[in-house]
């Protein structure tokens, strides 16, 4: 089956790579890739292809990066004679004229157990809410976001240590396997497997902005730690150190009944760096418990583990982060 693959970020690249490597096994032919236009990155603002587009270019797969899925874009893509549109994290809604170009329609990989967590940020939502499990759904593409019929689902158990980065990559691997099986079945029967209508109460997720990553130190350490994992790598969690942004990349929770070198920290203000342990990390007072920070990054600098950071920040203990 000839497919057009639509996606942009790194996890989507992983799914594309799995499909590419399994083309012969499952009867797949990737005839083109649809991705977001190159974006300016780095100090010199050089235009850089998306991870999905970069992989396709390396494998000599035709790449299409239109700003809009208009008539001109359709005219370019229809010549591929793709039979199925496969999407994971492309970032655009497909209109009826676009979907009509594919005899088998389109399918989408969504990293949640739909209808829970429709929208663009289902993985951060599951982490922020402390869910014990999430999942992967392969659904038909519909004209309304994430309301298509379910073709396959798989539950993923959560340990409480996942980041959005690690969970998206796991979802990409599992989801690509499900897509391969669906395409194989369609090759054998001449049609996609019968979909199931979504049932149950739907919930929705929103776009996460950079300002959403600012840490509120009055919250319990457990909630802050979950937010740091949920917002890694983007948009990232940050605080202000002497009015300068400081990113907190990795941390763990220390409850109030655990012993530290801080002694009695109960009367210290939330956000105060109360002590440093070479064995554990940097301890910061929160609304409930201590947050032990193990990886940080100052603006314009490389990320650092807590030991290297403290070597260059002798007066950091006692600082109140805002």
């Amino acid at each position: 089956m000839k497919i057009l693959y639509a996606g942009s970020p790194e996890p989507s690249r992983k799914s594309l790579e799995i499909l590419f490597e399994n083309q012969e096994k499952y009867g797949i032919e990737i005839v083109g890739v649809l991705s977001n236009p190159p974006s300016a990155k780095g100090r010199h603002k050089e235009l850089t292809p998306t991870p999905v587009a970069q992989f396709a270019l390396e494998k000599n797969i035709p790449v299409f990066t239109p700003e809009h899925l208009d008539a001109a874009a359709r005219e370019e893509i229809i010549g591929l004679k793709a039979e199925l549109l496969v999407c994971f994290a492309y970032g655009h809604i497909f209109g009826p004229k676009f979907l009509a170009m594919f005899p088998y329609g389109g399918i989408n990989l969504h990293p949640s157990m739909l209808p829970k967590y429709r929208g663009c940020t289902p993985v951060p939502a599951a982490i922020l809410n402390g869910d014990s499990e999430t999942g992967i759904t392969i659904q038909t593409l519909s004209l309304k976001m994430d309301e298509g019929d379910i073709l396959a689902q798989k539950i993923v158990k959560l340990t409480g240590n996942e980041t959005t980065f690690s969970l998206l990559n796991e979802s990409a691997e599992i989801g690509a396997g499900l897509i391969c099986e669906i395409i194989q079945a369609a090759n054998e029967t001449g049609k996609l497997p019968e979909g199931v209508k979504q049932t149950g109460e739907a919930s929705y997720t929103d776009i996460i902005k950079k300002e959403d990553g600012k840490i509120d130190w009055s919250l319990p350490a457990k909630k802050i730690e979950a937010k740091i994992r949920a917002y890694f790598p983007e948009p990232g969690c940050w605080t202000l150190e002497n009015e300068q942004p400081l990113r907190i990349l990795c941390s763990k929770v220390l409850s109030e009944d655990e012993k530290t070198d801080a002694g009695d920290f109960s009367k210290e203000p939330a956000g105060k760096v109360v002590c440093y342990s070479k064995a554990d990390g940097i301890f910061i007072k929160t609304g409930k418990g201590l947050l032990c920070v193990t990886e940080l990054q100052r603006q314009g600098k490389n990320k650092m583990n807590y030991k290297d950071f403290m070597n260059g920040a002798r007066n950091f203990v006692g600082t109140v982060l805002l």
Side-chain angles (χ1 to χ4, degrees):
M1 182 183 295
K2 294 181 178 180
I3 73 166
L4 173 70
Y5 185 89
S8 296
E10 185 61 41
S12 186
R13 171 191 169 121
K14 181 176 284 290
S15 290
L16 173 60
E17 185 176 350
I18 292 169
L19 293 176
F20 181 83
E21 292 173 348
N22 287 279
Q23 290 185 99
E24 184 175 350
K25 180 178 179 181
Y26 291 99
I28 298 169
E29 182 184 355
I30 302 170
V31 295
V33 159
L34 181 64
S35 196
N36 284 331
S39 58
K41 292 185 178 180
R43 185 176 297 175
H44 302 293
K45 300 298 181 182
E46 296 180 358
L47 288 178
T48 305
T50 68
V52 164
Q54 184 61 51
F55 178 83
L57 292 168
E58 292 169 1
K59 301 301 180 182
N60 297 313
I61 302 170
V63 176
F64 302 87
T65 59
E67 290 281 355
H68 305 285
L69 297 178
D70 52 17
R74 295 196 300 272
E75 187 65 28
E76 273 194 304
I77 291 168
I78 200 169
L80 299 173
K81 297 182 178 178
E83 299 166 275
L84 176 70
L85 173 64
V86 176
C87 178
F88 177 30
Y90 173 48
H92 298 271
I93 298 292
F94 299 103
K97 292 180 180 179
F98 192 89
L99 289 176
M101 294 193 298
F102 308 93
Y104 285 81
I107 60 176
N108 178 57
L109 190 168
H110 187 80
S112 84
M113 293 294 286
L114 288 172
K116 189 174 184 179
Y117 299 146
R118 289 175 177 170
C120 56
T121 55
V123 170
I127 294 173
L128 283 171
N129 291 334
D131 292 352
S132 60
E133 64 181 31
T134 185
I136 294 98
T137 300
I138 310 300
Q139 60 170 333
T140 58
L141 281 166
S142 71
L143 298 181
K144 294 184 178 180
M145 184 173 60
D146 297 330
E147 293 189 19
D149 293 347
I150 294 171
L151 301 178
Q153 281 188 318
K154 185 169 183 179
I155 292 173
V156 175
K157 298 293 184 181
L158 301 181
T159 66
N161 296 315
E162 294 84 4
T163 65
T164 287
F165 179 81
S166 68
L167 189 49
L168 273 175
N169 276 287
E170 182 180 359
S171 299
E173 292 182 9
I174 296 171
L178 295 175
I179 290 170
C180 286
E181 292 172 3
I182 288 169
I183 293 175
Q184 185 181 47
N187 281 331
E188 294 172 355
T189 63
K191 61 181 181 179
L192 290 177
E194 195 70 28
V196 178
K197 297 292 183 185
Q198 296 185 31
T199 59
E201 185 177 355
S203 60
Y204 296 85
T205 63
D206 294 322
I207 294 172
I208 298 173
K209 301 174 183 178
K210 182 179 179 180
E211 53 265 32
D212 296 330
K214 190 172 190 303
I215 296 172
D216 179 358
W217 293 107
S218 68
L219 294 174
K222 186 176 180 180
K223 284 191 173 294
I224 296 173
E225 188 270 343
K227 185 173 181 176
I228 290 167
R229 290 187 291 109
Y231 288 13
F232 180 84
E234 297 295 338
C237 279
W238 56 280
T239 185
L240 290 176
E241 174 203 4
N242 299 322
E243 300 184 354
Q244 295 300 312
L246 174 68
R247 293 189 73 183
I248 307 296
L249 304 177
C250 190
S251 66
K252 56 187 177 182
V253 176
L254 192 76
S255 62
E256 292 198 33
D257 55 2
E258 292 183 77
K259 295 181 179 179
T260 71
D261 295 335
D264 181 11
F265 60 87
S266 59
K267 296 181 181 180
E268 300 290 353
K272 184 172 182 178
V273 182
V274 294
C275 72
Y276 162 58
S277 165
K278 288 185 177 180
D280 298 304
I282 301 165
F283 295 97
I284 302 171
K285 172 74 185 314
T286 72
K288 184 177 181 181
L290 292 177
L291 188 74
C292 180
V293 173
T294 56
E295 194 170 64
L296 314 86
Q297 184 178 19
R298 284 191 169 122
Q299 190 171 29
K301 304 292 184 181
N302 294 328
K303 64 182 181 180
M304 306 176 74
N305 64 50
Y306 66 94
K307 292 180 181 179
D308 291 338
F309 180 88
M310 289 301 294
N311 284 338
R314 300 291 183 180
N315 299 321
F316 191 58
V317 174
T319 301
V320 178
L321 305 174
L322 300 175

